[in-house]
Amino acid sequence: MELNHLAHEVINPLNIIVGCAELTINELENKKLEKDKIKTYLDLIVKQSLECTNLLKKSLLCKNKKVNINIYDFIKNIILNYKNHPLLKQKNLKFKLDYNKLKDYNLCVENECYLKIIFNNIILNSIKYGLKNSKIYINIYTELLDKHQINILIKNKFNIKDTKIQNIFSSSHNTGLDLVERMVKLIKGEWDIRQINDYFNVEIKIPKK
C-alpha cells in the first residue's frame, strides 16, 4: 500500500481513538462516571489501536495481492467495526444491509486493502454527515445483463439545506473520496455519486475477477 494511502487509512481509527478519549475525559471531568459508557469508549480505543497495528502489518504484505472475497461478509465486518462509533450512537443511525442470497453472486477476486479503503471512507462519510435518526442503506446486487461485476449501492439522508454538503461529496473537496476515486481506478471498477431527493447515493461497481 502506498504511504499516503496507508496514512489516510490509519487516520480513520486514530480519529475514533481521539474522539473516545475526549468523551472519556469529559465523563471524568463532569463526574458522571457512567461505567458502562466509559468501558465502551475504552473497548473501542483498544479495538481501533489494534486496527492501526493490523493496517501497518497488512501494508507490508498486500501490495498487488488479490484474494477471494465475499463482498457481503466483507462489508458486514466493516459495519461491525463501526457499531460502537460515538457518532453512530449520538445520531441514532442504523445500518440496513441487503444482498443477493445466491452466494456466488457476492464473490470477487480483489485486493482486500483497496476495498477496505473504499468502503471505510464511504461508510465513515455516511456516519459523519447523515441526518439524525436515519438509516444507512447498503444494497449488494448483480445485474442480470452483466454478471461479471458486483454492484454496491450505499445511500442515506443528509441535510440538503446545508450548502456545504455538495462540497463534502465532491472528490475535489474531500480527501477521503479522492482516495476512493483512485482506489476504484486501481481495481478497474466504476463509481458514481449523486443526490436523489434528500438522499445521497454512492454506487460502486467491482469486477468479479
Side-chain angles (χ1 to χ4, degrees):
M1 193 187 302
E2 294 179 22
L3 184 59
N4 59 334
H5 297 164
L6 174 62
H8 192 276
E9 277 304 284
V10 172
I11 284 170
N12 284 342
L14 284 177
N15 282 335
I16 295 173
I17 290 168
V18 171
C20 288
E22 287 175 344
L23 288 168
T24 304
I25 290 168
N26 288 337
E27 290 282 326
L28 294 171
E29 285 178 345
N30 295 329
K31 297 182 179 178
K32 292 181 180 178
L33 295 174
E34 295 183 27
K35 289 184 179 180
D36 289 344
K37 203 178 276 189
I38 290 175
K39 184 181 183 302
T40 299
Y41 298 152
L42 293 176
D43 285 345
L44 198 53
I45 286 171
V46 171
K47 186 175 181 179
Q48 293 302 319
S49 298
L50 291 172
E51 178 70 11
C52 285
T53 303
N54 290 334
L55 281 168
L56 292 169
K57 286 179 180 177
K58 281 188 177 181
S59 71
L60 301 173
L61 303 171
C62 77
K63 189 174 183 181
N64 297 325
K65 182 180 178 182
K66 292 187 176 184
V67 295
N68 292 318
I69 294 173
N70 181 307
I71 287 292
Y72 167 73
D73 291 336
F74 186 81
I75 293 177
K76 185 179 177 182
N77 285 332
I78 290 178
I79 290 171
L80 286 173
N81 285 336
Y82 285 105
K83 72 175 183 177
N84 289 321
H85 192 292
L87 274 180
L88 200 69
K89 292 191 171 184
Q90 285 176 18
K91 297 171 113 179
N92 190 32
L93 297 173
K94 307 289 184 186
F95 285 99
K96 182 169 174 38
L97 177 60
D98 290 319
Y99 67 104
N100 194 313
K101 302 300 187 292
L102 296 174
K103 186 177 178 182
D104 290 348
Y105 279 30
N106 302 310
L107 298 177
C108 69
V109 180
E110 198 43 79
N111 186 301
E112 184 179 3
C113 295
Y114 294 165
L115 291 183
K116 269 197 170 184
I117 291 172
I118 290 168
F119 292 109
N120 266 317
N121 277 289
I122 292 173
I123 289 172
L124 191 58
N125 272 289
S126 296
I127 292 171
K128 284 167 68 176
Y129 304 114
L131 276 180
K132 288 183 179 180
N133 304 312
S134 64
K135 287 185 179 178
I136 299 170
Y137 296 91
I138 302 175
N139 186 22
I140 303 167
Y141 66 98
T142 301
E143 293 179 352
L144 290 175
L145 297 177
D146 190 354
K147 297 181 181 179
H148 300 294
Q149 65 181 17
I150 301 173
N151 296 15
I152 301 97
L153 176 65
I154 302 173
K155 68 175 186 176
N156 66 319
K157 285 188 176 183
F158 290 81
N159 182 4
I160 58 174
K161 294 179 181 177
D162 187 345
T163 54
K164 294 179 182 177
I165 289 293
Q166 295 294 338
N167 285 342
I168 288 167
F169 278 82
S170 163
S171 59
S172 60
H173 290 83
N174 185 313
T175 307
L177 292 184
D178 176 60
L179 197 52
V180 168
E181 191 168 48
R182 281 184 278 161
M183 293 297 101
V184 170
K185 286 179 181 177
L186 280 175
I187 66 171
K188 295 182 171 58
E190 301 173 34
W191 86 306
D192 178 64
I193 182 166
R194 66 182 66 191
Q195 179 185 334
I196 301 177
N197 298 320
D198 54 351
Y199 282 90
F200 263 91
N201 289 27
V202 182
E203 186 164 22
I204 307 288
K205 297 184 179 182
I206 300 172
K208 288 198 169 186
K209 290 185 180 181

